Amino acid sequence: MGPAHKSAGRLKIYAASCRNPLHNRLSILAFSSYGPRYFIAGARLATTDEDTTLANATSPEPTRRDFLYIATGAAATVGVGLAAWPFVDQMNPTSAVLAMASIEVDVSAIRPGQQVIFKWRGHPLFVRRRTAKEVAEARAVPPSDLPDGLARNANLTDTAPATDANRTIKPEWLVVVGVCTHLGCTPTVSTPQSPQGSYGGWLCHCHGSEYDTAGRIRKGPAPQNLAVPPYAFTGPTKIKIG
Amino acid sequence: MAHQSSYVPKTGFTRWLDQRLPIIRLVNDSFVTYPTPRNLNFWYVFGGILAVMLVVQIVSGIVLSMHYVPNADLAFGSVEQRIMREVNYGWLLRYIHANGASMFFLAVYVHIFRGLYYGSYKAPREILWILGVFIYLLMMATAFFGYVLPWGQMSFWGATVITSLFSAIDQVIPNLGTAITHWLWGDFAVGDATLNRFFSLHYLLPFVIAGVVGLHIWALHVPGNNNPLGIDVKGPQDTVPFHPFYTVKDGFYMVLFFIVFLGFVFYAPNFFGNPDNYIQANPLVTPPDIVPEWYLLPFYAMLRAIPSKLIGVLVLVGSLLTLLVVPWLDTSKVRSCRFRPLMKQLFWVFVADCLLLGYVGSQTADAAWHFGEAELPLVWLARLGTLYYFGFFWVLMPWIGKKEVTRPLPESIAQSVLAKGGH
């Protein structure tokens, strides 16, 4: 029997429960173009009551109640769907947070081999003035040997390979977001005096990810190279990030 | 609930009330005359203890929220200065709430292992077990949000690491994971917006837990309690009324439990804490070793055991979701491990495995055991432990359940109890 059978059952219940004489005086609106076919088939089976709000054998039309049932359900579904979005979207960063999204820093005091940490969008931002040796080490690695072969540089296209040249604007200055791409800890910088990991860049103590002198992931659970943020030199030693 | 109500209202008022809102009847049938197997042992007292601990946490939490300020600049001071030093008995309320969380988890772990040992998840109690798993997951979420609120270093970096688990989705759908983390944070990093919403959720979830606890007790009272023999109740000779038999027993052990609980509160209030959380959150410096609270350590060890981010996160999630299907993974016809000689041993190996994973989770990522010249990196122990955790549920449970030769079950609870000279 399928849907027609079920629909007939429901209409019988309506018929039995509707005792409002006002309904009987209202004329039946013909909404035959609305709703699926089985309402009509179902209506034909519901002939046990005199209630004129219901269809019977002589009027094989869906009833006004069928129409209201579908219309109310549709309005409720669309309404809940529309109302849900503001409740979801309120969780996203506010306009004030978005407005604070860029900074300008002076890096003239940073000496070769030194790293300074700035705060950008709530995250640490590493600005590292690399020595010639560190640049040479980074350049010696073929991109095919890297776990993550993409540059992850917001200033380049998404598919740029992770060569050292693609990781910087000026080779001496490496600017990366200091957030381990595994689970967000701040990696510790490696220096000749205090080596961290085996690749001369950074070591994340939380779960043991190791980065090289271009901030590229070399070992451990982190899936991506440290992100290079959108930035530009606004002077010889002035950088605008974001 | 499932048994015939024996409540007879005695006064005019209670007769009047009973016809309008039979609430006294509900309480009477659920907690007074409720027929309970007569052989429930010590391990069955933790359900009642958990109910009381939920009340302790809600009451202490509500009063703490009257003094706490959910603001990234003020939160740390409102806890360490105002609540700990200025509010009358604030130190006591805070230590009750912090240690209460640990005691809550201690009790829930005993409760879960008890259920596993006696097969309390098996038909007809699958829904009861699943509701219990939901409560456990809600407890973990609530505890996580609560731990962020004092805004210390561990609060901040714990929040960063756990919410960053969602960024693993980037490896399936690029940028979706990052978008979700920004949505969770309300910022580009954990910050003030994150703290505010975590406070809101930390206040909300305990009441959700209370609701699910109501369902859990309802689902318990339909089939009735399981028991250490794991056999069905066959008649009134197998049961005793809940009151006074189990109200007294639960009450007695609750007092002992509170002695331990308050022992920590008064004599070792920071036993379960991490010293780094007495340093205010600093978004630019991660502490050398991020360690979650002790009750999350086994899962943390499993996360770190896997060298891939995405698979590590899937293992973590899988280890929890596995619990939901335990009723269908166990193929044995016998519930209690008392009559399952092989499963009993595997169960205790599983308990040891969870403790081992907890230990490994508490150590640094690159820790190792040294045996003379040889060294065993602990990450390999974590991998072994992870393997057994999943193997126990997904391989041993279905397989042993079919193969195992179980010992004969007693005729009835009453016969078993009386044969041992009990009464």
Side-chain angles (χ1 to χ4, degrees):
Chain A
M1 293 283 281
H5 174 67
K6 284 179 190 159
S7 178
R10 204 184 72 239
L11 289 173
K12 275 179 191 163
I13 293 165
Y14 286 160
S17 63
C18 186
R19 291 283 176 268
N20 186 345
L22 180 65
H23 286 174
N24 297 335
R25 290 199 290 275
L26 295 170
S27 60
I28 296 169
L29 297 169
F31 289 119
S32 60
S33 57
Y34 297 91
R37 179 76 192 162
Y38 63 77
F39 278 108
I40 296 167
R44 196 173 277 132
L45 294 170
T47 57
T48 55
D49 199 281
E50 292 303 307
D51 190 331
T52 54
T53 59
L54 290 172
N56 54 40
T58 56
S59 63
E61 301 296 322
T63 64
R64 283 184 298 123
R65 189 172 281 113
D66 286 326
F67 171 74
L68 291 174
Y69 185 74
I70 292 171
T72 309
T77 307
V78 172
V80 168
L82 288 175
W85 178 244
F87 283 84
V88 171
D89 194 37
Q90 53 83 22
M91 296 265 285
N92 274 317
T94 63
S95 54
V97 169
L98 297 175
M100 301 263 288
S102 82
I103 57 167
E104 187 162 358
V105 296
D106 183 354
V107 295
S108 56
I110 305 174
R111 288 187 293 180
Q114 200 179 26
Q115 166 189 280
V116 166
I117 302 178
F118 298 98
K119 191 174 172 186
W120 177 66
R121 292 186 179 179
H123 287 305
L125 180 87
F126 297 157
V127 178
R128 181 162 171 165
R129 188 170 182 182
R130 299 188 295 174
T131 61
K133 181 169 169 287
E134 286 169 346
V135 174
E137 277 171 11
R139 303 224 144 164
V141 185
S144 55
D145 284 7
L146 297 167
D148 178 17
L150 297 176
R152 308 286 172 193
N153 185 337
N155 307 289
L156 301 174
T157 58
D158 286 352
T159 52
T163 58
D164 184 64
N166 277 347
R167 296 281 296 163
T168 56
I169 292 175
K170 296 181 182 176
E172 189 180 17
W173 297 99
L174 179 66
V175 180
V176 289
V177 178
V179 175
C180 180
T181 57
H182 181 225
L183 294 174
C185 295
T186 304
T188 308
V189 68
S190 180
T191 61
Q193 295 76 32
S194 166
Q196 304 282 334
S198 320
Y199 300 92
W202 288 267
L203 169 69
C204 184
H205 281 278
C206 288
H207 310 97
S209 293
E210 298 181 24
Y211 297 89
D212 67 13
T213 53
R216 296 174 298 199
I217 181 65
R218 300 298 292 276
K219 191 181 167 203
Q224 293 179 6
N225 303 324
L226 292 178
V228 179
Y231 72 99
F233 282 87
T234 53
T237 57
K238 285 222 165 79
I239 306 176
K240 187 181 180 213
I241 300 114
Chain B
M1 292 188 179
H3 65 101
Q4 199 67 37
S5 179
S6 61
Y7 173 65
V8 182
K10 290 193 179 66
T11 68
F13 171 72
T14 50
R15 269 192 297 277
W16 181 87
L17 182 67
D18 195 52
Q19 285 168 0
R20 286 157 180 82
L21 178 71
I23 188 166
I24 303 178
R25 180 181 298 278
L26 179 71
V27 172
N28 177 79
D29 295 350
S30 305
F31 304 107
V32 180
T33 59
Y34 172 64
T36 319
R38 60 196 292 172
N39 60 335
L40 298 191
N41 60 20
F42 163 74
W43 303 104
Y44 282 77
V45 303
F46 287 90
I49 287 173
L50 282 162
V52 170
M53 285 312 295
L54 178 62
V55 173
V56 167
Q57 290 303 89
I58 289 179
V59 171
S60 59
I62 286 174
V63 291
L64 282 169
S65 77
M66 296 178 184
H67 307 285
Y68 172 77
V69 184
N71 173 293
D73 295 326
L74 305 174
F76 188 78
S78 77
V79 174
E80 302 303 345
Q81 177 71 25
R82 186 186 297 177
I83 291 174
M84 291 301 286
R85 290 170 172 78
E86 296 168 3
V87 174
N88 296 334
Y89 292 104
W91 58 272
L92 178 63
L93 297 168
R94 196 257 180 126
Y95 282 147
I96 285 174
H97 199 67
N99 287 282
S102 279
M103 291 294 118
F104 205 155
F105 275 96
L106 184 69
V108 91
Y109 281 128
V110 176
H111 194 66
I112 293 171
F113 281 126
R114 192 285 319 274
L116 279 175
Y117 187 84
Y118 293 125
S120 304
Y121 48 84
K122 293 176 76 68
R125 297 183 181 82
E126 302 96 322
I127 298 288
L128 172 63
W129 169 266
I130 288 170
L131 288 168
V133 176
F134 284 151
I135 294 170
Y136 175 50
L137 298 178
L138 284 166
M139 279 174 64
M140 290 208 274
T142 309
F144 163 67
F145 291 137
Y147 193 64
V148 175
L149 302 185
W151 211 238
Q153 273 289 67
M154 276 300 159
S155 301
F156 183 91
W157 290 101
T160 299
V161 167
I162 298 297
T163 49
S164 293
L165 292 174
F166 288 93
S167 67
I169 297 169
D170 276 345
Q171 286 168 274
V172 186
I173 304 167
N175 300 327
L176 178 65
T178 306
I180 290 175
T181 56
H182 289 175
W183 178 75
L184 288 171
W185 295 334
D187 203 331
F188 299 107
V190 173
D192 192 49
T194 323
L195 178 60
N196 262 284
R197 61 191 57 180
F198 281 13
F199 177 61
S200 174
L201 292 170
H202 184 68
Y203 207 121
L204 166 72
L205 287 188
F207 297 98
V208 178
I209 291 177
V212 184
V213 167
L215 295 179
H216 190 65
I217 295 172
W218 188 7
L220 168 70
H221 285 198
V222 172
N225 288 68
N226 185 32
N227 63 84
L229 296 173
I231 58 176
D232 290 332
V233 166
K234 296 202 169 62
Q237 72 281 3
D238 288 342
T239 66
V240 289
F242 189 78
H243 178 76
F245 292 93
Y246 288 111
T247 44
V248 163
K249 186 167 182 166
D250 284 3
F252 173 73
Y253 282 108
M254 228 171 267
V255 170
L256 295 189
F257 188 82
F258 265 71
I259 291 173
V260 176
F261 171 26
L262 295 177
F264 281 112
V265 169
F266 288 114
Y267 295 100
N270 289 302
F271 180 82
F272 298 106
N274 189 307
D276 273 313
N277 226 28
Y278 281 103
I279 303 167
Q280 190 165 0
N282 181 350
L284 300 185
V285 180
T286 308
D289 295 305
I290 299 276
V291 191
E293 289 278 84
W294 68 269
Y295 39 80
L296 303 176
L297 287 173
F299 303 102
Y300 191 63
M302 287 195 255
L303 170 75
R304 288 197 309 190
I306 312 295
S308 148
K309 177 175 172 178
L310 180 62
I311 298 172
V313 172
L314 289 176
V315 162
L316 174 71
V317 174
S319 66
L320 293 169
L321 295 187
T322 292
L323 297 174
L324 289 172
V325 290
V326 164
W328 295 277
L329 292 175
D330 186 353
T331 54
S332 175
K333 289 192 172 63
V334 174
R335 290 196 189 105
S336 173
C337 276
R338 276 197 190 172
F339 307 103
R340 304 184 61 187
L342 197 51
M343 196 60 196
K344 182 192 265 184
Q345 293 176 29
L346 296 173
F347 168 84
W348 286 112
V349 176
F350 178 72
V351 174
D353 184 51
C354 291
L355 294 174
L356 174 78
L357 283 170
Y359 166 76
V360 175
S362 72
Q363 303 298 303
T364 55
D366 52 359
W369 279 345
H370 296 274
F371 306 97
E373 289 298 297
E375 76 162 28
L376 172 66
L378 290 190
V379 67
W380 283 103
L381 278 182
R383 283 170 191 168
L384 206 64
T386 307
L387 198 65
Y388 187 79
Y389 183 97
F390 283 93
F392 176 74
F393 287 117
W394 288 97
V395 180
L396 296 176
M397 256 194 180
W399 184 52
I400 299 299
K402 289 214 172 86
K403 289 277 165 199
E404 187 174 32
V405 180
T406 54
R407 293 171 49 205
L409 295 173
E411 281 293 309
S412 72
I413 293 172
Q415 191 210 43
S416 168
V417 171
L418 297 175
K420 279 193 284 186
H423 45 78

